[in-house]
Amino acid sequence: MKISLLLTGKTDDANIQKAIAEYEKRLKFYVPFETIVIPALKNIGALSHAQIKEKEGIAISQHMEKADAAVLLDERGREFTSTEFAEFVQSKMNAGTRHLMFVVGGAFGFSESVYKKAHAKIALSKMTFPHQMVRLVFAEQLYRAMTILKNEKYHHD
């Protein structure tokens, strides 16, 4: 199974970029993994939050169509422990999912069209994090899930 992380806008912080790159490198040992970055919208000063979500939603939807299952990282999604998240990923593997895509939206969230196309929503926490931190936390949790599934010592119960 291939896993993708779809992001809106680039990560500006060099320290976060470096940490994400380390987890991406580690993940490739377990599963084909890629990060897809949709460029941030230009000239959005005159646009409403709803208009921004719609424009981002068009680009996000085009990528989501390439996946067998698309999972939104959304504050209203289901919360997991690390072990439960590993079981969620395993269930997708067992179901024969060829391409599992996790999606991080823009600053204003997802458009309704993106919500309708999604197969699931998960939340990393009830707390709010900057989008760049979400990328790092998710990459680490996905790596942790892979080590749990392989019964490696990275995770401690």
Side-chain angles (χ1 to χ4, degrees):
M1 178 173 75
K2 174 183 173 180
I3 299 178
S4 299
L5 177 60
L6 179 63
L7 311 167
T8 302
K10 64 180 181 166
T11 303
D12 296 328
D13 185 305
N15 292 319
I16 294 175
Q17 285 176 342
K18 184 177 177 182
I20 292 170
E22 176 62 27
Y23 285 111
E24 288 175 343
K25 183 176 94 177
R26 292 180 185 189
L27 279 166
K28 290 179 181 179
F29 177 75
Y30 300 96
V31 64
F33 178 79
E34 70 174 336
T35 301
I36 303 165
V37 179
I38 296 171
L41 297 174
K42 306 279 186 207
N43 304 318
I44 60 170
L47 300 177
S48 69
H49 295 174
Q51 289 171 317
I52 292 169
K53 287 194 307 188
E54 284 303 315
K55 287 185 176 286
E56 288 175 343
I58 292 168
I60 290 170
S61 292
Q62 289 172 346
H63 286 279
M64 286 174 64
E65 291 171 1
K66 299 173 186 172
D68 297 325
V71 179
L72 305 182
L73 299 183
D74 186 89
E75 62 191 9
R76 294 170 291 178
R78 179 178 168 200
E79 290 186 74
F80 293 103
T81 65
S82 295
T83 302
E84 290 168 342
F85 178 62
E87 291 167 355
F88 173 81
V89 172
Q90 183 68 62
S91 73
K92 296 298 181 190
M93 291 177 177
N94 292 348
T97 303
R98 293 182 317 260
H99 184 186
L100 176 60
M101 180 178 287
F102 293 93
V103 185
V104 178
F108 304 111
F110 297 106
S111 66
E112 280 305 310
S113 63
V114 170
Y115 279 115
K116 288 178 182 173
K117 290 181 180 179
H119 297 93
K121 295 184 296 188
I122 64 171
L124 295 178
S125 171
K126 290 182 180 181
M127 296 180 187
T128 302
F129 297 107
H131 281 72
Q132 294 187 27
M133 289 298 297
V134 167
R135 298 165 186 196
L136 175 56
V137 170
F138 177 78
E140 190 281 334
Q141 284 299 300
L142 184 58
Y143 172 72
R144 183 176 297 271
M146 292 298 127
T147 65
I148 290 169
L149 295 177
K150 295 290 187 180
N151 293 314
E152 296 177 354
K153 295 181 181 182
Y154 183 79
H155 178 76
H156 308 284
D157 279 321

